[in-house]
Amino acid sequence: VGTTIAAFLLAEALLNGPMGHLADRLGRRHLMVAGPLISVFTCIATAFLRIPVEGTGHYAGIIALYVLRMIDGAGAAMLWPAVFAAIGDRAGERHQGAAMGTLNVAYMMGLAFGPLVGGGLNDFFARSMQLPPENPVRYAPSFFSAALFFLICAIIGFVVAPRQTDRSRSTTETDGSDAVSPGGIKSALKRMPLLLFLVFLIFLGIGLISPNIKLFAMERFGVAETKFGFLLLIPALIIAAISVPAGRLADRWGNARAIHVGLGICALALWLILLLETEWVLVVLGTLLGVGFVLAFPAYMALISRIAGDAARGGVIGAVRTAQGIGMLLGAAAASPVYEIGHLIPFIVAGVLLSAGFFICLLYTSDAADEEDS
């Protein structure tokens, strides 16, 4: 599980910068349509993929699975920098946090209903066809439904995204506009080194726990796929409801304070997971984690968006997402081996990483950080 997710994250991390630059050059629409269409293909191909238990076919199947996940990562790299940049294009300087919070509403709602819809379809199909858990056919409904949703996403992107960006831009307008190049990435690093390291550290911790959170819940609390989806739905709906107010609060507080408070809440929630052993910990602490995330991450993205400026926004956000992707990649690659050593160890390590990130942001993202982007 961890290494297949790592393959996805590797491709996404490598391509976030180039795709962000393309979104600056070609407009957001092309990327917001092409990315989901790629994922339509990978979902359907994965549903039909069958890997023999042994022999040369086994290794060929594993390689095919990794290739499909990397293609899917390329699709994600096309989509997300373009989406974040489009939000930044349309939001005024004083409303960046609220705009990113609005994007988080959609993001959280998707995360909330995804496991519920996919897991529910899998469970219903498995019961109807009397399929055992080891039969790969029982998991096909979630892949086909995901393909359908990606197709709808591509259609929406085609309809709502402008053919070009919302403003005319010159590729030489700022020194950040070539963020796709090594020199551009280096320029971004010089402008915000600890901000990039901070997002790397945080997503390294997230990568350690996210691949196996479903397995963790099913093994520790004995919940089925559908119940896991319901347990995840409750905090996600609460988080979605407060995302926009949290973004507005970040605009009022200033980005630095919102990042401090949000990261502090996330670190506290992770440490509490080690102490509580009921299935409702997923609801209570999942809500707490989400509240911290929707407070800190939109403020962080707003700060990055404002530092980057109009002409280089897509490329610089691509550089940020590259740092984020590398952290997730390394965390996901280590997730399964660490989980097998002990199911609480990933949470301990992630708690240490988020705590370190909290203290780094206290030292670096002070009021001066908010002044830097003005």
Side-chain angles (χ1 to χ4, degrees):
V1 174
T3 54
T4 56
I5 293 176
F8 168 89
L9 294 170
L10 174 63
E12 186 183 20
L14 292 176
L15 293 175
N16 266 320
M19 295 306 170
H21 180 68
L22 281 179
D24 288 333
R25 294 287 300 273
L26 302 178
R28 317 303 186 202
R29 186 188 213 183
H30 298 81
L31 285 299
M32 290 172 65
V33 172
L37 287 179
I38 287 175
S39 293
V40 171
F41 162 74
T42 58
C43 285
I44 295 174
T46 303
F48 283 104
L49 181 65
R50 297 293 180 268
I51 302 177
V53 177
E54 57 185 15
T56 56
H58 172 77
Y59 299 103
I62 292 294
I63 292 172
L65 180 60
Y66 287 149
V67 170
L68 285 172
R69 297 305 291 139
M70 294 183 77
I71 294 173
D72 204 27
M78 290 180 180
L79 176 65
W80 287 109
V83 170
F84 276 107
I87 294 293
D89 292 342
R90 297 190 178 195
E93 286 292 325
R94 294 186 177 182
H95 304 289
Q96 291 283 340
M100 296 299 175
T102 305
L103 177 59
N104 263 349
V105 171
Y107 189 88
M108 290 295 175
M109 292 296 288
L111 289 180
F113 282 99
L116 178 61
V117 173
L121 287 172
N122 288 344
D123 284 344
F124 176 79
F125 185 68
R127 285 193 302 268
S128 301
M129 302 297 293
Q130 296 184 339
L131 299 174
E134 63 271 15
N135 190 325
V137 176
R138 66 163 289 157
Y139 303 102
S142 58
F143 285 99
F144 287 122
S145 61
L148 174 63
F149 295 140
F150 278 122
L151 179 60
I152 295 171
C153 179
I155 294 171
I156 292 174
F158 180 80
V159 172
V160 305
R163 291 183 182 275
Q164 298 296 329
T165 51
D166 288 342
R167 51 186 169 61
S168 59
R169 57 163 60 85
S170 166
T171 58
T172 59
E173 218 173 310
T174 69
D175 62 353
S177 63
D178 63 339
V180 63
S181 67
I185 299 292
K186 186 177 180 180
S187 174
L189 286 167
K190 285 182 178 179
R191 297 172 71 185
M192 43 189 177
L194 283 182
L195 286 175
L196 289 176
F197 179 68
L198 179 63
V199 77
F200 163 80
L201 208 62
I202 292 168
F203 279 88
L204 177 63
I206 293 174
L208 275 170
I209 61 176
S210 59
N212 296 308
I213 188 66
K214 191 174 186 178
L215 294 175
F216 174 79
M218 293 173 70
E219 291 176 4
R220 192 178 193 193
F221 308 128
V223 299
E225 280 194 88
T226 304
K227 187 171 184 181
F228 173 79
F230 276 113
L231 290 174
L232 194 64
L233 179 62
I234 297 172
L237 290 176
I238 297 172
I239 294 161
I242 67 171
S243 288
V244 175
R248 290 174 179 163
L249 183 62
D251 288 331
R252 187 175 304 168
W253 275 358
N255 295 320
R257 185 184 298 177
I259 295 171
H260 297 166
V261 174
L263 271 183
I265 292 173
C266 288
L268 175 64
L270 272 178
W271 287 117
L272 288 176
I273 287 176
L274 301 174
L275 303 176
L276 304 176
E277 297 186 7
T278 66
E279 64 184 37
W280 285 98
V281 73
L282 293 174
V283 176
V284 177
L285 296 183
T287 301
L288 199 59
L289 273 168
V291 168
F293 182 83
V294 299
L295 189 58
F297 194 65
Y300 176 88
M301 293 305 296
L303 180 61
I304 294 298
S305 181
R306 291 162 68 182
I307 291 175
D310 289 343
R313 183 169 286 121
V316 172
I317 287 176
V320 171
R321 285 187 59 82
T322 295
Q324 170 185 328
I326 292 172
M328 280 286 290
L329 164 65
L330 295 177
S336 292
V338 172
Y339 183 85
E340 289 178 0
I341 296 172
H343 63 276
L344 290 180
I345 293 179
F347 292 94
I348 295 173
V349 178
V352 170
L353 291 173
L354 260 69
S355 299
F358 171 68
F359 288 112
I360 288 174
C361 80
L362 279 180
L363 294 174
Y364 180 69
T365 56
S366 60
D367 292 336
D370 280 331
E371 294 171 2
E372 181 183 347
D373 64 64
S374 62

